[in-house]
Amino acid sequence: MKEKILVTGGTGYIGSHTVVELQNAGYEVIIIDNLSNSSADVVDNIEQVSGIRPAFEKLDCLDQEGLAAVFAKYGDIKAVIHFAASKAVGESVEKPLLYYRNNLVSLINILELMPRYNVKGIVFSSSCTVYGQPDQLPVTEEAPIKKAESPYGNTKQINEEIIRDTVASGSPISAILLRYFNPIGAHPTALLGELPNGVPQNLVPYITQTAIGIREKLSVFGDDYDTPDGSCIRDFINVVDLAKAHVVAIKRVLEDKQKEKVEVFNIGTGRGLSVLELIHAFEQSTGVKLNYQIVGRRSGDIEKVWANPELANKELGWKAETSIEDTLRSAWNWQLKLRERGIQ
Ligand code: UD1
């Protein structure tokens, strides 16, 4: 019997890649998604990639009764991976209550239901945003949590605390918090990838949309930072590598290998790349020239952040493997495929 894993936000960007990796590893996946930022077609594409159709329930995690019905319907769900969340930094500043409601209440609903349905553990999508601008780089899990720059970032910090407090209160669950750096790229089949709603806010979708002609010009936000070329530095992590980190985390939870009931891991490559370096790497690996210009800084941006991923390397036996060139080519192939499918 395959072990059942519930994946909230499973039709989203990181969620869909993770569903495929879970299926490849022999788990049975049940997806919940409200389709607010994804489409039901993703389920077909997951099936095409893995050869297995995951169960899918269109549901909002704010609906606790609906969630309870899903736990009851499938029975014996062993663990949850909780991706479902609102994630646009700018939007969170304009609509803080929407972000606090969506991101906090969803998690609370899940944590309340888990013991009721004997669900053993949760893997939570956290973010390097919890570090703010770290004092030391590369940043380790021990670095202090800085005041959040946005309501979105604050929801990640509060969600981490909610999980810690719940476990500390004696709830019979365990948790792994994965702090992602900047996920980019797409599945090598070009059947799964990031599909932003409207104008992309994140760098790589903006790059690929500019390269294909949907956007006229990429704006590089700032070249006067205290970095070698003046542009911001990030740790860009391949989305399939990131998805695989969830599989090892789930295995660790289910096999009782955790050293503590709540564990935290940085999921990054350990390598910082500047925005300008990334643009040049895109041009070199795809052979496509990018139209870009330097503009002023974007408010709320962190100057530089990259991971020390040693803890994940050692404890999870996980390591980012895909080169930045292959990753950027995968993002480009995904964009080309979207055009072929008449989507963008
Ligand atoms: C942000 C969040 C992160 C969140 C992620 C996903 C913070 C500090 N970071 O990452 O937690 O998980 O979004 O939504 O809250 N850039 C350009 N031109 C563009 C777009 C971006 O120059 O058109 C630059 C940005 O200024 C930044 C870098 O590219 O320096 C990466 O930006 P982006 O892809 O938006 O990710 P983050 O802001 O790092």
Side-chain angles (χ1 to χ4, degrees):
M1 267 278 279
K2 289 183 172 180
E3 290 177 302
K4 292 179 195 164
I5 312 294
L6 182 72
V7 179
T8 75
T11 53
Y13 173 45
I14 307 172
S16 57
H17 288 84
T18 301
V19 170
V20 164
E21 295 307 319
L22 287 167
Q23 291 175 319
N24 288 345
Y27 294 102
E28 180 179 337
V29 178
I30 297 123
I31 296 177
I32 294 181
D33 206 300
N34 66 1
L35 302 180
S36 61
N37 199 21
S38 60
S39 121
D41 302 348
V42 174
V43 180
D44 301 332
N45 293 352
I46 289 172
E47 183 180 7
Q48 240 183 295
V49 175
S50 68
I52 304 166
R53 191 168 186 84
F56 171 69
E57 301 283 342
K58 181 173 183 298
L59 188 73
D60 197 307
C61 293
L62 296 179
D63 174 2
Q64 200 184 37
E65 270 180 34
L67 274 177
V70 170
F71 281 111
K73 174 175 169 186
Y74 292 93
D76 205 23
I77 289 172
K78 299 283 186 209
V80 178
I81 307 184
H82 184 42
F83 292 106
S86 302
K87 62 154 195 172
V89 176
E91 187 187 40
S92 80
V93 177
E94 321 220 304
K95 301 175 185 163
L97 296 179
L98 179 80
Y99 272 66
Y100 286 115
R101 184 193 304 277
N102 280 351
N103 293 3
L104 304 189
V105 178
S106 294
L107 176 68
I108 292 168
N109 283 342
I110 291 164
L111 293 176
E112 277 180 347
L113 290 172
M114 285 173 63
R116 245 185 267 167
Y117 290 91
N118 288 319
V119 181
K120 202 173 156 118
I122 180 165
V123 174
F124 176 68
S125 298
S126 191
S127 166
C128 69
T129 193
V130 301
Y131 299 120
Q133 176 60 63
D135 301 322
Q136 282 181 352
L137 288 166
V139 64
T140 71
E141 291 81 356
E142 305 299 316
I145 301 299
K146 299 266 181 76
K147 186 175 162 20
E149 293 272 346
S150 68
Y152 159 76
N154 206 17
T155 67
K156 292 293 175 195
Q157 295 187 356
I158 298 171
N159 275 343
E160 288 199 1
E161 287 173 7
I162 289 175
I163 291 173
R164 284 183 198 285
D165 290 346
T166 305
V167 171
S169 75
S171 177
I173 61 167
S174 64
I176 294 186
L177 317 179
L178 298 181
R179 291 181 180 155
Y180 314 151
F181 284 69
N182 285 57
I184 63 165
H187 198 269
T189 58
L191 286 166
L192 301 171
E194 187 170 10
L195 192 54
N197 259 339
V199 182
Q201 306 295 312
N202 295 114
L203 180 60
V204 170
Y206 211 107
I207 287 178
T208 58
Q209 290 197 5
T210 305
I212 207 164
I214 297 172
R215 312 280 156 208
E216 197 201 326
K217 205 183 265 183
L218 168 74
S219 295
V220 173
F221 299 133
D223 70 346
D224 55 353
Y225 285 100
D226 182 18
T227 60
D229 65 23
S231 65
C232 292
I233 296 179
R234 294 290 183 274
D235 184 333
F236 297 98
I237 162 94
N238 177 278
V239 67
V240 177
D241 287 345
L242 172 59
K244 289 178 178 164
H246 295 79
V247 178
V248 288
I250 281 291
K251 209 159 177 269
R252 186 172 172 95
V253 168
L254 297 184
E255 291 177 0
D256 284 321
K257 297 270 168 61
Q258 288 183 257
K259 292 199 169 143
E260 289 161 48
K261 294 281 250 173
V262 181
E263 293 180 316
V264 186
F265 296 102
N266 280 344
I267 304 296
T269 67
R271 185 162 89 125
L273 216 59
S274 77
V275 172
L276 289 170
E277 283 173 325
L278 189 85
I279 290 171
H280 298 140
F282 178 84
E283 292 183 325
Q284 268 161 19
S285 49
T286 62
V288 183
K289 270 302 249 185
L290 260 186
N291 190 16
Y292 70 90
Q293 63 178 355
I294 311 285
V295 300
R297 293 182 177 194
R298 179 172 76 175
S299 86
D301 267 339
I302 299 299
E303 182 170 87
K304 49 190 165 197
V305 62
W306 64 96
N308 178 332
E310 275 170 28
L311 192 66
N313 298 163
K314 189 167 144 266
E315 283 296 324
L316 296 178
W318 170 91
K319 204 169 186 316
E321 281 169 350
T322 315
S323 70
I324 191 73
E325 290 79 16
D326 283 347
T327 301
L328 291 168
R329 269 192 291 269
S330 73
W332 179 230
N333 288 337
W334 164 246
Q335 187 72 61
L336 292 170
K337 188 78 159 199
L338 286 177
R339 164 135 313 165
E340 217 178 282
R341 287 161 61 195
I343 296 173
Q344 273 184 352

